[in-house]
Amino acid sequence: MMHPFLNNKTSIIVYSSVWISIFAVQSLTLIYFINLEMWLAIADSFVFTGILFLLGIALWYPSKFIGFESTSVRNILINHAIGASVTNSVWIGLSYFILSRLIHTTTYLEFLDASIIWRLLIGLLIYSIIISIYYLLIYYNNFREKLQQETELNTLVKEAELRSLKYQINPHFIFNSLNSISSLTLTNPDKAREMTINLSTFLRGTLSKNEKQKNKLSEELDTVKLYLEIEKVRFEGKFELIEELSEDCLKVEVPNMILQPLFENAIKHGVYESLDSVQIKISCNKEGEYLRISVSNNFDSKAAPRKGEGIGIKNIQNRLRLIYNRDNLLRVKKSDNIFSIDIYIPTGERE
């Protein structure tokens, strides 16, 4: 940390203004209360405040060296007791030497000798004030640096956690897709080959934008359609995609790979267990300061529920919380034979 009063023009102007005020007050006090002649009062104030002005700047360095974090309170008090004695000795001795050589008026020299005691007391008071101000500045600066370091550390942890969550998606999906391809290689090799090609295309597309934090909703929807092409090989005409999206919604940026787990969930718990055709619908509309994106599907309520680990939905919930610092951006609804998941993207706009 550089010297707080020499670091910029504003600080040195403020510091100088304080000492000019002290000079003025001392001069007026000597004129009106001690009855010194004006030139004597000005000379006395100029020498004493001028030297203390310079010593005050120099006191920054022992304050910085004798820190609370590295020195015990006892040693700090001892060091500053020595520092105050040395500073006062230099201040009084040098001022006395200069003024006694410049001014030979007997009345003033008698006043100078008599005023040494209260000047020493004033010197101790000013020393304490200057040291206190320096320690406050050091404490504030250290506190600000620690706060900044803590913020940077939290940001790094958050980014690492987000990256970890994002990388959980592809292995989860790949695992399920490879299982499907494995089954098709025995029953329908041609479809297995088609599904492998689609999976390759899907992975090429997702890997190319894996480092991006956000994509436009239209890009995410393209990724979802690649995924659905893979699943269509397995389920053929058993499901259809319904889109209810406006052009404005398609331009909004959403977290990367935020939709694919929702469609994967619809396939797993809706299409897989149902004997009838399933409609998977994605809709989007603005609600206050949020963009609500809803993915819903009908399902066979009489079918035995398929067990799942809930990785996809939990992953999305965690990513939304980390990106937007809110815990309420995902809602799951299940009524009659409709299952839907709503995610809310903050837009920062209010209606």
Side-chain angles (χ1 to χ4, degrees), residues 100-334:
S100 62
R101 293 295 181 277
L102 292 177
I103 303 172
H104 302 288
T105 307
T106 305
T107 305
Y108 175 75
L109 292 176
E110 289 176 353
F111 161 74
L112 187 61
D113 290 334
S115 64
I116 293 298
I117 296 299
W118 62 263
R119 288 182 197 272
L120 283 172
L121 295 175
I122 291 174
L124 287 174
L125 177 64
I126 292 178
Y127 179 91
S128 302
I129 293 173
I130 292 175
I131 291 297
S132 300
I133 292 173
Y134 282 150
Y135 275 129
L136 282 175
L137 291 172
I138 291 170
Y139 174 79
Y140 172 73
N141 190 64
N142 289 343
F143 174 75
R144 196 174 57 177
E145 285 182 357
K146 287 180 180 176
L147 202 62
Q148 186 176 354
Q149 289 172 353
E150 187 176 341
T151 303
E152 290 175 356
L153 181 62
N154 286 336
T155 302
L156 290 174
V157 171
K158 192 173 176 180
E159 287 177 356
E161 192 173 351
L162 269 171
R163 191 179 296 273
S164 173
L165 285 170
K166 194 163 69 174
Y167 287 159
Q168 284 179 13
I169 295 173
N170 280 343
H172 186 213
F173 163 67
I174 293 168
F175 174 77
N176 291 335
S177 297
L178 290 176
N179 273 343
S180 300
I181 291 172
S182 176
S183 301
L184 287 172
T185 52
L186 297 175
T187 59
N188 196 332
D190 290 339
K191 284 190 175 179
R193 181 175 177 276
E194 183 182 349
M195 193 171 179
T196 303
I197 293 172
N198 288 339
L199 179 61
S200 173
T201 306
F202 174 83
L203 291 178
R204 191 183 302 115
T206 55
L207 288 175
S208 65
K209 54 187 178 183
N210 221 1
E211 294 302 320
K212 293 175 67 177
Q213 184 74 270
K214 294 179 180 177
N215 288 318
K216 289 182 180 177
L217 182 59
S218 59
E219 294 175 304
E220 285 299 303
L221 195 58
D222 290 340
T223 302
V224 165
K225 288 177 179 176
L226 278 172
Y227 163 73
L228 293 179
E229 285 298 317
I230 297 170
E231 297 293 19
K232 275 182 181 176
V233 175
R234 185 160 55 135
F235 296 104
E236 295 185 339
K238 199 174 175 182
F239 70 88
E240 65 173 324
L241 174 65
I242 299 175
E243 301 175 49
E244 293 181 357
L245 301 163
S246 66
E247 286 296 322
D248 290 339
C249 283
L250 292 172
K251 295 176 183 176
V252 173
E253 287 198 328
V254 298
N256 187 11
M257 292 295 289
I258 202 75
L259 293 182
Q260 188 272 335
L262 301 184
F263 282 85
E264 185 177 345
N265 189 74
I267 293 290
K268 185 175 182 180
H269 298 283
V271 178
Y272 194 91
E273 299 294 341
S274 179
L275 297 176
D276 302 322
S277 176
V278 173
Q279 291 183 335
I280 304 176
K281 184 171 75 174
I282 177 169
S283 60
C284 171
N285 62 289
K286 192 173 181 183
E287 286 190 6
E289 57 182 317
Y290 298 96
L291 188 74
R292 181 171 69 89
I293 301 171
S294 179
V295 176
S296 61
N297 63 275
N298 57 298
F299 66 97
D300 186 354
S301 57
K302 295 179 182 178
R306 188 174 175 81
K307 289 184 179 179
E309 297 177 356
I311 293 175
I313 294 176
K314 188 68 178 175
N315 185 297
I316 292 174
Q317 194 169 28
N318 288 337
R319 290 183 64 202
L320 290 172
R321 175 177 56 79
L322 287 170
I323 293 172
Y324 300 108
N325 290 319
R326 303 185 192 185
D327 289 323
N328 58 343
L329 299 180
L330 186 144
R331 294 177 189 171
V332 178
K333 292 184 289 185
K334 191 175 182 181

Side-chain angles (χ1 to χ4, degrees), residues 8-34:
N8 57 64
K9 289 183 180 177
T10 303
S11 298
I12 193 65
I13 288 173
V14 171
Y15 181 75
S16 301
S17 300
V18 171
W19 283 104
I20 289 172
S21 301
I22 293 173
F23 163 77
V25 169
Q26 184 177 339
S27 298
L28 292 174
T29 301
L30 293 177
I31 293 171
Y32 290 103
F33 293 97
I34 308 299

